[in-house]
């Protein structure tokens, strides 16, 4: 009986103890104990990947690996791209090599194209600057070109002629003339010119030199018009001031009208059947601005005509102009510039003939109309 009572007392004591512990507030963890626990966990060594793989392998069924293909491969750190492997490995290696080579080739090609475009742009800009500078010097620093003589001739008889306008002792000027003539030929071949229907049978084409989008078709011709417009009028105006004349208005150095006239011998020969044999070959004389009313409404005051042709072009090849007042004929000699007073000088354009020999089937004239200065 006593033993039963003792066991019952013990069970009751345990139950009471559990209930008290369940409702007791949580015990605060001592920081010292927390640091000790963290330290013990930190000291536990982590398993390496190799050890983890071994551990996982023990839990998996064993698999027999066929190393037939793997044995055909070279070690990773000694890969030889030129080594020929066998079977599927050889095909895979070849695909990888081809893709890598293709990517590298694409990168190299793109880099080369970018470099070529940059070099072409720099060269084009340098050429433009050199051309503009050279023409400026020929206009401003040419010792044999007298603006006083030019102004007097324009006022007296309405025209002035000067040879070797762009040519000089160096080769730059001669090369520039050749480039300008080549641009004329390229524009004709690429249908950039319009047929001059007012001169059917003469084989002549026309186009305006406006720059902008058409600059790429004729950069040297455009730069000639720009530089001549900028540098010629101030020098000519200065001579007009010194002559104290009111007979002619001053020229604008910021605006002009540029025109290109190109002759093609093949076109002339093809249109010869359209010509009337009874018709007089000589064209009538006329003023650029027209009659008096036309001169009042037209801003053009001085016209500069620069002839471009082969070095072998001579008087038998035709071309040029004839001044009515003096009867003087000015032939279309290479690098000859003719100044005509646009509002009063009556002249006639002479037809080109050329020759079947090389380089004599094409000629051209670059025309710059200087306009009156805005007051």
């Amino acid at each position: 009986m006593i033993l039963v009572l003792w066991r019952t007392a013990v069970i009751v004591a345990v139950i009471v103890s559990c209930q008290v512990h369940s409702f007791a507030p949580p015990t605060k963890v001592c920081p010292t104990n927390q640091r000790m626990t963290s330290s013990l966990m930190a000291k536990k060594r982590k398993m390496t990947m190799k050890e983890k793989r071994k551990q996982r392998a023990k839990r998996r069924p064993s698999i027999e690996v066929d190393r037939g293909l793997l044995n055909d491969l070279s070690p990773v750190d000694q890969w030889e791209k030129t080594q020929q492997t066998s079977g599927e490995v050889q095909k895979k290696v070849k695909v990888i090599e081809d893709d890598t080579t293709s990517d590298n080739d694409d990168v190299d090609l793109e880099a080369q194209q970018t470099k070529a475009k940059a070099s072409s742009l720099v060269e084009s800009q340098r050429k433009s600057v050199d051309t503009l500078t050279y023409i400026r010097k020929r206009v401003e620093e040419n010792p044999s070109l007298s603006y006083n003589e030019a102004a007097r001739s324009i006022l007296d008889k309405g025209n002035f002629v000067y040879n070797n306008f762009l040519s000089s002792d160096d080769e730059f000027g001669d090369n520039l003339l050749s480039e300008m003539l080549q641009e004329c030929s390229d524009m004709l071949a690429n249908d950039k010119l319009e047929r001059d229907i007012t001169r059917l049978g003469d084989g002549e084409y026309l186009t305006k030199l406006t720059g902008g989008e058409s600059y790429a078709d004729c950069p040297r011709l455009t730069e000639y018009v720009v530089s001549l417009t900028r540098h010629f009028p101030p020098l000519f105006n200065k001579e007009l001031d010194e002559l104290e004349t009111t007979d002619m208005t001053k020229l604008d150095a910021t605006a002009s009208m540029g025109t290109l006239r190109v002759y093609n011998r093949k076109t002339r020969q093809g249109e010869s059947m359209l010509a009337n044999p009874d018709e007089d070959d000589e064209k009538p004389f006329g003023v650029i601005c027209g009659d008096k009313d036309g001169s009042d409404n037209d801003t053009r005051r001085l016209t500069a005509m620069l002839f471009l042709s082969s070095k072998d072009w001579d008087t038998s090849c035709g071309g040029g102009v004839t001044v009515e007042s003096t009867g003087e004929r000015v032939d279309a000699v290479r690098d000859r510039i003719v100044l005509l007073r646009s509002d009063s000088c009556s002249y006639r354009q002479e037809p080109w003939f050329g020759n079947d020999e090389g380089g004599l089937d094409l000629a051209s004239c670059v025309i710059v109309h200087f306009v009156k200065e805005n007051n």
Side-chain angles (χ1 to χ4, degrees), residues 26-37:
T27 305
K28 182 179 291 186
V29 179
C30 179
T32 304
N33 295 336
Q34 184 177 11
R35 286 196 299 269
M36 292 178 61
T37 303

Side-chain angles (χ1 to χ4, degrees), residues 20-28:
V20 172
H21 180 72
S22 299
F23 291 98
T27 305
K28 182 179 291 186

Side-chain angles (χ1 to χ4, degrees), residues 121-347:
L121 179 60
V122 172
E123 177 63 21
S124 177
Q125 292 177 341
R126 183 194 65 79
K127 185 64 176 179
S128 297
V129 172
D130 291 346
T131 300
L132 293 170
T133 303
Y134 179 82
I135 296 174
R136 177 189 64 78
K137 290 182 178 180
R138 293 300 295 172
V139 172
E140 297 180 346
E141 304 174 9
N142 191 344
S144 62
L145 177 59
S146 172
Y147 283 88
N148 181 270
E149 180 183 354
R152 288 182 180 275
S153 180
I154 292 294
L155 293 174
D156 292 342
K157 58 181 183 178
N159 68 90
F160 175 74
V161 180
Y162 181 77
N163 295 326
N164 300 322
F165 181 58
L166 295 181
S167 301
S168 60
D169 295 335
D170 57 22
E171 297 182 356
F172 190 93
D174 192 58
N175 292 335
L176 176 59
L177 292 169
S178 298
E179 286 186 53
M180 294 168 68
L181 183 61
Q182 184 60 48
E183 288 179 355
C184 298
S185 178
D186 293 340
M187 293 177 70
L188 178 63
N190 296 323
D191 296 328
K192 300 294 184 178
L193 306 176
E194 296 181 1
R195 184 71 178 86
D196 186 1
I197 59 176
T198 64
R199 299 180 67 91
L200 288 176
D202 288 345
E204 296 183 15
Y205 295 82
L206 281 173
T207 190
K208 294 181 179 180
L209 298 174
T210 58
E213 294 180 356
S214 61
Y215 169 79
D217 297 328
C218 50
R220 304 292 87 84
L221 292 169
T222 303
E223 288 156 5
Y224 165 78
V225 174
V226 170
S227 189
L228 191 67
T229 302
R230 174 65 182 88
H231 303 292
F232 180 88
L235 297 175
F236 189 82
N237 292 339
K238 180 180 178 182
E239 295 300 329
L240 293 180
D241 287 337
E242 293 183 359
L243 293 174
E244 298 180 351
T245 180
T246 58
D247 185 45
M248 185 174 182
T249 59
K250 293 183 180 179
L251 308 178
D252 195 338
T254 62
S256 68
M257 302 178 187
T259 305
L260 177 66
R261 181 176 291 273
V262 178
Y263 165 73
N264 183 30
R265 180 173 171 81
K266 292 182 179 179
T267 302
R268 179 183 176 88
Q269 291 176 332
E271 295 178 348
S272 60
M273 63 182 67
L274 301 177
N276 187 352
D278 297 331
E279 183 180 356
D280 189 1
D281 291 338
E282 293 185 350
K283 304 296 182 180
F285 289 95
V287 178
I288 293 175
C289 292
D291 54 16
K292 184 65 170 61
D293 293 336
S295 300
D296 293 339
N297 298 323
D298 199 317
T299 59
R300 292 175 292 181
R301 289 297 177 265
L302 187 67
T303 298
M305 306 174 68
L306 177 67
F307 293 105
L308 301 174
S309 62
S310 169
K311 293 181 180 180
D312 298 327
W313 192 278
D314 55 22
T315 57
S316 66
C317 296
V321 297
T322 299
V323 180
E324 184 178 17
S325 60
T326 62
E328 177 186 5
R329 170 158 178 169
V330 183
D331 295 314
V333 177
R334 174 186 171 95
D335 198 21
R336 170 177 285 176
I337 190 169
V338 179
L339 301 179
L340 300 173
R341 185 162 177 174
S342 309
D343 58 348
S344 62
C345 181
S346 179
Y347 81 105

Side-chain angles (χ1 to χ4, degrees), residues 48-110:
T48 63
M49 291 298 300
K50 185 177 181 180
E51 291 174 341
K52 291 180 179 180
R53 285 195 295 269
K54 288 183 177 180
Q55 191 176 43
R56 287 196 296 268
K58 292 179 179 180
R59 295 194 295 266
R60 296 177 182 175
S62 59
I63 300 176
E64 184 178 355
V65 179
D66 181 9
R67 295 192 54 84
L69 296 178
L70 300 179
N71 291 333
D72 290 336
L73 290 173
S74 302
V76 176
D77 56 347
Q78 296 181 0
W79 187 268
E80 296 290 340
K81 291 185 177 182
T82 58
Q83 180 179 355
Q84 296 297 325
T85 57
S86 62
E88 294 297 329
V89 175
Q90 180 177 353
K91 295 180 181 180
K92 293 180 181 180
V93 172
K94 182 173 180 56
V95 170
I96 294 174
E97 291 178 356
D98 290 344
D99 291 342
T100 304
T101 304
S102 178
D103 293 342
N104 293 335
D105 290 345
D106 291 341
V107 173
D108 293 341
L109 180 60
E110 183 178 359

